[in-house]
Amino acid sequence: MKFCFAVVLLLLIHCPAQAADALPSRLLELEELAVDKFSEADAEFRLLLKNTSEPQQLLKVQQSYCWVIAVQDPARALQLAEEYKKQQQDLMWQLRFLLCEGYAKEQQDKTAEAMLDYQRVLSYKEAETDPELHAKALVLRGEQYAINAAYADALTDLQKAYQLELSHGTKGRQNYVANALANLYSDSAVGDYDQAITLYQKSLEHWQSSGNLQGQATALFNLGGTYESAGQLELSLNYLNQALAIDQKRGDLDEIAYDKRSVARVLTKSGQGEKALVLLNEAIAHYQSSSDAQMLAYCQLSRAISYRTLKRYPEARQDFESAMSYFGQKPDLRFEALLYKEYALLLAEMQQWQDAFIMQQKQQQKDAEIQQQLLDQRTSRLKIQLQTEQIQREKTELEVKNAAQRQALTDGEKLRFWQYLALCCALLMILAMLFLFSRQRALSAQLKDMALTDELTHLPNRRHTLALAQQLWHQQQPFCVLAIDIDFFKRINDQYGHAAGDLVLQKVAYCLRQELRPVDKLGRVGGEEFLVLLPGTELNSAKAIAQRLCNAAAALEWPQLENSYQVTISLGVAQLGQHKDFMQLWCSADEALYKAKQNGRNRTETAD
């Protein structure tokens, strides 16, 4: 989703302008000025800091200044926040500057440190007495949770912040939190598109009432993107075209090109590839003239997909190669995975099966890297959580020790009581550490299981299956493999939807597992692809097993699919022979699988 920098900055630092004195209004003017003319605003802020003598007013100026420079000059913001924080005895002002310090770290991509600062602010009960501070900290932490795929935690923080703003905040702050919440709802991993659309509609009404064209265009764009994710392409085109019309009126060339690419993407999905090409060519021309290599690569990838749907294969291949050249220098895992996936489809349509297989392998590698990245993020989040709990424990321990010292000075007779209390606290700390250690071990085991198991079918995933294969390979015994592919699986997804496709994968996986021997190993190695490892098995036995699997799959009933649809599988059988490594053996089975596909599907073929 798209959200303009100016709106984010103003809403993060916004203070109510209805105060009786003139200072809040003046600060708001300078904050708005900083968006477009930072140097002028910076000079005005310095003058205001120099001429403000009343302590509380000076703190308000310092806080506003800290948030303004956090985006433009985060290193300087960090220095000022630390300086202002040290000057304060008041806990609330320390927390306000600590929050600004975390936001500046976030701008430096020190997200783990920023997250720790947000956690520290929210660990103080006192923060809840200031609704603006409390809501702002929840939003910043919630957005980081969302980036790290901790969707449940993100939803909790953002919903709580939204309720706080509805009760205490200005319309501008309410709108900002509503947008953050809508962005989370519209994420495909959450998929609550109705909630996202409702909040984006409210945001659109807000910007229309204020006459802010940039905000209107952003809200319309987000509505279009959400409807696209929900599969309502006609509505998506309607909203995206409205956003494009407003940006054309504003004359923002970058936004216009960005909008055109999004409209073209939906046109391609709607089967209007020729119209999509017109917009993509215009967007590509803009990014070529502006030397924006990243957006140029994204547009080339989108145009390649449009060319493929129009069966203009040479042009599609040229755009795929151009985009691949950029991503080779500037890695972007999600776009690379999409590129390899679409390129593999192109090569398959061109019947260049070997190259298509290589591209599919690259896509699976990128998907694995994405999953590893998510796993690393979850691990990092757990470390932050443990650090936060450690800080809280240290704070509690310090408070207990201080109380014990004060009591000892004033009443010597109660010294023993406080010693017993300190001992109990130490024992509790030990128990808490043991509990956390046990919990960490359990979480590590859970993460390991997640890394080795396919979430949908609960079979070993590609990584786990290949590890098992390497073990069996080195045993040097009769060894066969079966390469399995569900026939016409894309047609099932297209005709009945991805939910039906997931059901087919689960049911076929269960059927295969039931028909195999306990010693056999079954894994899911691709979208609709499975691999069976048959240790200690000669070729004739392997062929019999393959035929049994083929028959069992064909006998499955599918009341969930219309017109008595029959799901079948094709299998390729290969026996260990003069193969240099397991991957070569697998390729032999895969070639036999392709032969089964070419000979009519719902059958088995043996490698030559």
Side-chain angles (χ1 to χ4, degrees):
M1 293 300 161
K2 183 169 64 172
F3 201 80
C4 57
F5 161 75
V7 175
V8 174
L9 178 59
L10 287 177
L11 291 174
L12 275 174
I13 59 182
H14 176 66
C15 300
Q18 291 80 14
D21 59 332
L23 182 62
S25 297
R26 179 56 179 156
L27 291 177
L28 184 57
E29 290 174 2
L30 293 179
E31 292 160 4
E32 292 174 347
L33 178 64
V35 173
D36 297 318
K37 300 178 180 180
F38 175 74
S39 58
E40 292 183 24
D42 184 55
E44 291 291 332
F45 262 115
R46 290 174 182 270
L47 187 61
L48 198 56
L49 286 167
K50 182 177 180 180
N51 294 332
T52 304
S53 57
E54 200 281 320
Q56 288 299 312
Q57 289 188 337
L58 180 59
L59 286 169
K60 292 177 182 178
V61 177
Q62 290 172 336
Q63 181 191 21
S64 181
Y65 187 46
C66 180
W67 282 98
V68 164
I69 66 173
V71 175
Q72 298 288 343
D73 191 351
R76 188 166 152 221
L78 279 173
Q79 181 182 356
L80 290 177
E82 186 64 28
E83 179 183 330
Y84 296 149
K85 193 171 56 175
K86 287 180 179 179
Q87 294 172 2
Q88 284 304 309
Q89 296 297 321
D90 184 274
L91 175 61
M92 292 304 298
W93 279 108
Q94 289 185 21
L95 295 179
R96 292 182 186 115
F97 288 123
L98 176 60
L99 190 62
C100 181
E101 184 177 326
Y103 184 63
K105 290 176 182 176
E106 184 178 328
Q107 307 316 300
Q108 294 181 320
D109 292 328
K110 299 177 180 179
T111 52
E113 295 181 29
M115 191 66 166
L116 191 56
D117 286 340
Y118 302 154
Q119 298 274 33
R120 283 171 175 159
V121 172
L122 291 168
S123 70
Y124 285 88
K125 289 290 184 183
E126 292 85 350
E128 298 179 9
T129 63
D130 183 342
E132 182 179 352
L133 172 68
H134 192 203
K136 192 183 296 184
L138 286 169
V139 169
L140 292 172
R141 186 176 70 174
E143 289 177 325
Q144 285 301 307
Y145 275 142
I147 291 171
N148 292 327
Y151 299 110
D153 293 333
L155 194 59
T156 299
D157 276 357
L158 293 177
Q159 286 178 334
K160 190 173 182 180
Y162 188 47
Q163 292 303 318
L164 280 171
E165 294 294 9
L166 287 177
S167 301
H168 304 284
T170 63
K171 289 185 178 180
R173 283 172 24 212
Q174 291 170 9
N175 183 57
Y176 172 73
V177 181
N179 265 283
L181 190 55
N183 289 344
L184 178 61
Y185 282 134
S186 65
D187 191 293
S188 59
V190 179
D192 195 343
Y193 301 125
D194 290 338
Q195 287 277 21
I197 289 168
T198 299
L199 291 172
Y200 283 139
Q201 289 284 10
K202 289 182 179 179
S203 177
L204 178 60
E205 293 170 3
H206 170 80
W207 295 123
Q208 287 173 336
S209 65
S210 65
N212 187 308
L213 291 179
Q214 186 175 8
Q216 292 176 45
T218 298
L220 288 166
F221 183 93
N222 289 341
L223 280 165
T226 305
Y227 276 117
E228 179 188 357
S229 299
Q232 301 184 47
L233 302 183
E234 186 174 345
L235 282 171
S236 175
L237 281 174
N238 178 35
Y239 283 107
L240 289 174
N241 279 318
Q242 290 184 59
L244 174 59
I246 290 177
D247 283 331
Q248 286 174 331
K249 182 178 179 180
R250 293 174 53 238
D252 190 325
L253 298 181
D254 285 335
E255 291 296 325
I256 291 170
Y258 195 89
D259 292 342
K260 286 180 177 179
R261 171 176 170 266
S262 299
V263 173
R265 187 177 62 239
V266 180
L267 285 171
T268 300
K269 292 181 180 179
S270 304
Q272 304 178 62
E274 294 291 352
K275 291 182 179 180
L277 284 179
V278 173
L279 294 175
L280 286 169
N281 287 335
E282 293 172 355
I284 286 173
H286 167 74
Y287 289 124
Q288 285 174 335
S289 63
S290 64
S291 300
D292 189 335
Q294 182 182 48
M295 288 307 303
L296 177 60
Y298 293 163
C299 286
Q300 287 171 330
L301 175 56
S302 297
R303 189 170 68 176
I305 296 171
S306 298
Y307 278 139
R308 180 180 63 78
T309 62
L310 295 170
K311 302 190 181 305
R312 294 168 62 173
Y313 297 144
E315 295 154 297
R317 189 162 193 168
Q318 183 177 354
D319 271 345
F320 276 130
E321 291 292 341
S322 297
M324 190 184 301
S325 174
Y326 170 80
F327 289 127
Q329 301 172 14
K330 303 284 185 179
D332 186 326
L333 291 180
R334 295 193 182 279
F335 272 93
E336 288 179 88
L338 175 62
L339 186 151
Y340 292 135
K341 175 184 176 182
E342 295 292 340
Y343 205 171
L345 291 175
L346 171 68
L347 293 169
E349 290 181 17
M350 296 172 68
Q351 298 187 348
Q352 297 182 16
W353 306 113
Q354 189 66 30
D355 291 341
F357 177 75
I358 293 172
M359 284 299 163
Q360 192 177 60
Q361 293 282 77
K362 290 182 177 181
Q363 177 211 338
Q364 292 168 357
Q365 179 183 351
K366 294 302 175 184
D367 287 338
E369 290 178 22
I370 291 171
Q371 292 303 316
Q372 184 60 47
Q373 190 178 73
L374 290 174
L375 185 63
D376 292 342
Q377 289 171 347
R378 293 189 187 104
T379 303
S380 176
R381 189 170 69 251
L382 288 173
K383 289 180 179 178
I384 291 173
Q385 181 179 350
L386 291 172
Q387 289 175 334
T388 304
E389 292 172 354
Q390 178 66 28
I391 291 170
Q392 187 64 37
R393 288 197 303 272
E394 291 174 355
K395 187 178 71 173
T396 302
E397 184 181 10
L398 182 60
E399 290 172 353
V400 170
K401 288 182 178 180
N402 288 338
Q405 289 175 356
R406 289 193 298 269
Q407 187 66 18
L409 292 173
T410 57
D411 191 356
E413 293 181 357
K414 295 182 179 180
L415 179 60
R416 182 173 298 176
F417 167 78
W418 289 113
Q419 290 174 336
Y420 283 136
L421 181 61
L423 179 60
C424 288
C425 288
L427 291 173
L428 288 174
M429 289 287 292
I430 293 172
L431 291 174
M433 292 178 67
L434 290 173
F435 169 76
L436 289 174
F437 176 76
S438 174
R439 181 182 177 190
Q440 178 65 25
R441 289 188 63 183
L443 286 172
S444 297
Q446 182 180 0
L447 290 172
K448 181 179 179 181
D449 182 63
M450 288 171 62
L452 297 176
T453 304
D454 175 57
E455 182 177 1
L456 181 64
T457 62
H458 302 293
L459 295 177
N461 62 14
R462 178 186 178 85
R463 179 190 299 174
H464 192 184
T465 304
L466 291 180
L468 293 172
Q470 292 300 330
Q471 294 176 8
L472 296 174
W473 173 269
H474 291 298
Q475 291 178 8
Q476 296 298 322
Q477 59 179 341
F479 181 36
C480 290
V481 297
L482 307 181
I484 304 175
D485 188 275
I486 298 176
D487 296 329
F488 300 113
F489 185 75
K490 184 178 185 297
R491 182 187 300 172
I492 296 173
N493 276 334
D494 293 342
Q495 186 171 351
Y496 301 105
H498 288 280
D502 289 347
L503 175 63
V504 168
L505 286 170
Q506 291 172 327
K507 195 168 180 179
V508 169
Y510 180 78
C511 172
L512 297 176
R513 185 165 49 192
Q514 292 297 108
E515 293 295 327
L516 289 170
R517 304 167 301 182
V519 71
D520 301 330
K521 307 299 180 184
L522 170 65
R524 182 184 177 196
V525 294
E528 67 272 20
E529 299 172 17
F530 301 86
L531 188 65
V532 178
L533 310 176
L534 302 175
T537 305
E538 300 289 350
L539 182 60
N540 288 336
S541 298
K543 290 163 64 176
I545 293 171
Q547 189 59 49
R548 184 171 74 242
L549 297 180
C550 186
N551 295 339
L556 292 174
E557 296 182 356
W558 301 95
Q560 301 88 348
L561 308 181
E562 299 175 357
N563 303 321
S564 301
Y565 191 101
Q566 183 185 26
V567 176
T568 62
I569 61 175
S570 297
L571 302 93
V573 185
Q575 181 183 28
L576 175 62
Q578 302 300 318
H579 300 95
K580 295 181 180 179
D581 53 29
F582 173 75
M583 294 305 295
Q584 194 177 74
L585 176 60
W586 185 7
C587 284
S588 297
D590 224 27
E591 290 172 359
L593 170 61
Y594 282 124
K595 184 177 177 183
K597 293 282 188 181
Q598 293 170 349
N599 290 339
R601 296 182 169 84
N602 190 22
R603 59 186 292 119
T604 67
E605 292 288 349
T606 305
D608 296 331

